[in-house]
């Protein structure tokens, strides 16, 4: 190869840490701009050039069928199920299905490395993306780092290492950028294991969330917005704390979520091969969406370690979503006794299984649609995918 036909991206220069990114305030710090793949940023960035539907066709051979009610919400898929590990991994976010799949893929030589995110020495929630090459390194990445994480910052190392088979674990905005540069990585096989993602925050935003919501912010090791309409915190001493969604100090938390996450319409990680979350499953179970053949292959590896059941759906979310729109918009916070009561009632009669997932998608898409309309009106038409427009179109929005 002469210097003339040397790939162009080798000449692009990664941005310096802390410098302003091309997507400006909408940047989710996905890590692409920390590498020479910044060369492709105008095409690849999920916040500059939303192209979920085109990339669905590239990845899964077709884009989602907008007239199929499940695909409209959950994207292209072969199957969905609820699952949990028979022997959960201690310290994992849920039962550790993600870490288990990654470990099996490495042990069975399907891949040579796994892009995942460990934490820094100083900070249990400080993200440190790595290419793991042992099960220990994958296990060290278990549990959510509930902050924006530059997972793609290790992509240069992939090409330099000469690795040919890779698994990437990541959230929607990271995976959209990855899919755009996928062909430039020099890989023979790429597997993508995604998680859903919503309401992420900067590290400073996370601190504010913990301080306004938890009784002991410094001892939180893990938290999740769960299907019982409560935030569950786990503390260092093993104790748990629950706070009802309706009791969150919405007025103080309004600005805590990153602008990227307030503008995101890829909650369900449409471009991953396999998605592992929880929101479409009964309480305590994880939710699995197999999007294509690669996803099926990955799940197959761990099936005998899982207990599974079919997905279910119960209740009607629409009234609750419609009521949540002005409540969020006005930053209403209920007194704690009322929030607890509402939590108990809604848990008894509220949406469950896939209907809970639709509740969460609807409330976030309507909120985000309003955010983009008010803060970036010039982007609204191009940035919101057709499926999200249809979902939002079911509700009456304030001006
Ligand atoms: P584990 O075995 O504990 O593995 C977790 C994996 O996540 C690790 O491999 C790690 O590399 C990766 N990871 C951790 N933090 C990040 C990060 N910031 N960016 C990219 N990758 C990361 N599921 C839902 O159903 N609904 C939601 O609303 C939802 N919100 C989420 C928000 C965030 C910020 C994240 C990271 C995940 C979210 N999930 C959501 C997914 C869910 O919380 C679990 O991560 C998932 O079910 C896997 O659990 P596990 O026990 O199998 O994972
Ligand atoms: Fe770059 Fe990623 Fe930020 Fe877009 S979101 S500007 S690709 S770092």
């Amino acid at each position: 190869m002469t210097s003339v036909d040397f790939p162009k991206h080798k000449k692009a220069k990664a941005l310096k840490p802390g410098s302003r990114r091309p997507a400006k305030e909408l940047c989710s710090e996905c890590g692409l701009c920390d590498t020479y793949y910044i060369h492709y940023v105008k095409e690849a960035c999920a916040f500059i050039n939303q192209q979920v539907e085109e990339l669905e066709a590239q990845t899964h051979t077709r884009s989602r069928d907008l007239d199929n009610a499940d695909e409209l919400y959950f994207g292209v898929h072969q199957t969905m199920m609820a699952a949990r590990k028979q022997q959960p991994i201690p310290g994992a976010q849920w039962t550790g299905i993600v870490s288990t799949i990654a470990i099996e893929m490495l042990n069975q030589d399907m891949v040579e490395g796994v892009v995942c995110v460990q934490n820094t020495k100083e900070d249990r929630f400080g993200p440190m993306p790595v290419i793991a090459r042992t099960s220990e390194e994958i296990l060290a990445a278990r549990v959510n780092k509930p902050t924006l994480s530059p997972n793609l910052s290790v992509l240069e190392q992939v090409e330099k290492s000469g690795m040919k088979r890779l698994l990437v674990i990541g959230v929607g905005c990271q995976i959209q950028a990855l899919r755009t540069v996928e062909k430039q990585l020099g890989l023979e096989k790429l597997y993508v294991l995604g998680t859903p993602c919503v309401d992420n925050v900067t590290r400073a935003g996370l601190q504010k969330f913990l301080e306004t919501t938890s009784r002991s912010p410094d001892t939180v090791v893990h938290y999740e917005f769960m299907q019982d309409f409560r935030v569950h915190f786990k503390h260092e001493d093993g104790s748990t704390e629950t706070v009802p969604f309706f009791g969150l100090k919405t007025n103080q938390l309004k600005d805590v979520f990153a602008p990227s996450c307030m503008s995101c319409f890829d909650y369900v990680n449409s471009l991953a091969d396999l998605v592992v979350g929880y929101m479409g499953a009964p309480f305590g179970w994880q939710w699995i969406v197999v999007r294509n053949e690669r996803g099926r292959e990955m799940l197959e590896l761990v099936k005998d370690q899982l207990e599974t059941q079919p997905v279910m759906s119960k209740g009607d979310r629409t009234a609750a979503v419609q009521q949540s729109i002005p409540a969020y918009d006005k930053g209403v916070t209920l007194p704690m006794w009322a929030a607890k009561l509402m939590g108990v009632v809604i848990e008894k009669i509220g949406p469950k299984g896939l209907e809970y997932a639709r509740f969460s998608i609807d409330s976030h898409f309507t909120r985000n649609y309003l955010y983009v309309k008010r803060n970036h009106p010039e982007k609204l038409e191009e940035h919101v995918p057709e499926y999200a427009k249809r979902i939002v179109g079911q509700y009456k929005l304030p001006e």
Side-chain angles (χ1 to χ4, degrees):
M1 187 181 275
T2 66
S3 60
V4 179
D5 55 10
F6 209 62
K8 273 189 190 154
H9 60 253
K10 302 260 175 187
K11 292 181 188 157
K13 235 178 148 189
L15 291 179
K16 290 204 182 83
S19 60
R20 197 154 164 82
R21 299 309 199 224
K24 304 189 181 101
E25 73 276 16
L26 289 183
C27 172
S28 70
E29 295 167 30
C30 78
L32 189 86
C33 294
D34 301 332
T35 71
Y36 47 56
Y37 297 102
I38 189 182
H39 179 76
Y40 302 97
V41 66
K42 282 198 183 135
E43 222 186 306
C45 177
F47 304 97
I48 296 176
N49 180 33
Q50 180 285 120
Q51 48 169 343
V52 174
E53 282 147 336
E54 291 83 344
L55 290 173
E56 276 179 338
Q58 174 190 303
T59 307
H60 313 305
T61 68
R62 64 180 182 86
S63 56
R64 71 184 73 190
D65 177 357
L66 298 179
D67 297 321
N68 172 314
D70 278 347
E71 288 217 348
L72 179 72
Y73 271 82
F74 309 124
V76 175
H77 61 275
Q78 296 182 347
T79 47
M80 291 194 272
M81 68 190 75
R84 59 186 178 199
K85 279 207 70 195
Q86 290 157 10
Q87 287 172 334
I89 297 183
Q93 183 70 14
W94 282 75
T95 69
I97 295 178
V98 167
S99 299
T100 306
I101 292 173
I103 289 171
E104 286 301 326
M105 288 181 75
L106 199 63
N107 287 346
Q108 303 202 22
D109 204 30
M110 267 169 80
V111 292
E112 297 154 276
V114 177
V115 173
C116 52
V117 51
Q118 299 176 346
N119 59 293
T120 60
K121 267 204 207 83
E122 311 75 48
D123 180 2
R124 64 165 70 103
F125 291 133
M128 188 174 78
V130 295
I131 306 176
R133 291 165 185 262
T134 65
S135 352
E136 290 73 27
E137 286 166 356
I138 293 170
L139 269 182
R142 72 193 185 284
V143 81
N144 289 359
K145 275 35 103 191
T147 54
L148 302 177
S149 170
N151 282 24
L152 301 186
S153 61
V154 296
L155 281 189
E156 276 185 28
Q157 292 172 38
V158 173
E159 202 179 358
K160 284 179 187 152
S161 72
M163 221 175 251
K164 293 292 168 207
R165 288 168 287 119
L166 182 75
L167 168 68
V168 175
I169 300 173
V171 298
C173 54
Q174 299 159 358
I175 303 310
Q176 189 176 145
L178 174 72
R179 286 300 188 195
T180 312
V181 300
E182 168 175 359
K183 294 207 171 65
Q184 318 300 330
L185 301 176
L187 294 171
E188 280 159 17
K189 193 109 193 201
L190 171 68
Y191 292 90
V192 177
L193 176 47
T195 68
C197 182
V198 81
D199 290 349
N200 215 340
V201 287
T202 60
R203 187 60 186 84
L206 173 63
Q207 204 55 34
K208 184 168 177 198
F209 169 73
L210 294 174
E211 280 164 15
T212 44
T213 313
S214 170
R215 62 169 153 76
S216 168
D218 293 335
T219 60
V220 172
V221 289
H222 168 294
Y223 75 84
E224 190 81 86
F225 287 70
M226 294 235 196
Q227 299 103 318
D228 63 353
F229 295 86
R230 295 183 180 89
V231 189
H232 289 232
F233 293 99
K234 201 186 273 168
H235 292 276
E236 273 167 352
D237 62 1
S239 65
T240 53
E241 173 191 7
T242 61
V243 178
F245 290 179
F246 307 102
L248 292 178
K249 300 190 178 85
T250 324
N251 47 353
Q252 292 177 47
L253 291 174
K254 259 197 125 174
D255 303 325
V256 96
F257 302 125
S260 53
C261 307
M262 296 291 289
S263 323
C264 169
F265 296 91
D266 190 22
Y267 193 169
V268 298
N269 212 326
S270 316
L271 304 170
D273 299 317
L274 181 71
V275 178
V276 181
Y278 64 87
M279 65 181 175
F283 185 71
W285 290 71
Q286 291 186 257
W287 173 53
I288 298 189
V289 185
V290 180
R291 298 207 181 282
N292 58 32
E293 271 308 293
R294 288 181 301 278
R296 200 187 54 75
E297 247 182 273
M298 290 151 80
L299 184 61
E300 209 52 52
L301 287 179
V302 301
K303 258 197 152 164
D304 57 356
Q305 301 182 46
L306 304 180
E307 199 184 333
T308 61
Q309 60 167 306
V311 280
M312 48 74 80
S313 186
K314 233 169 89 184
D316 182 352
R317 71 197 181 280
T318 42
V321 174
Q322 188 64 65
Q323 279 157 22
S324 76
I325 298 170
Y328 183 84
D329 210 34
K330 294 190 192 113
V332 175
T333 302
L334 293 179
M336 196 45 87
W337 65 267
K340 283 193 174 146
L341 185 66
M342 187 140 157
V344 171
V345 172
I346 204 154
E347 193 192 345
K348 286 235 159 61
I349 60 163
K352 301 234 164 33
L354 293 180
E355 187 68 0
Y356 174 86
R358 290 186 203 98
F359 165 81
S360 196
I361 291 171
D362 288 355
S363 9
H364 286 97
F365 279 15
T366 47
R367 181 198 70 182
N368 289 8
Y369 187 88
L370 281 175
Y371 180 86
V372 177
K373 188 173 169 199
R374 288 172 183 165
N375 296 284
H376 302 278
E378 74 294 348
K379 284 181 80 71
L380 192 68
E381 187 50 34
E382 291 286 305
H383 183 68
V384 185
E386 182 56 30
Y387 62 82
K389 286 184 184 141
R390 288 204 192 181
I391 290 171
V392 171
Q394 301 170 104
Y395 297 96
K396 199 170 167 320
L397 301 188
E399 274 312 304

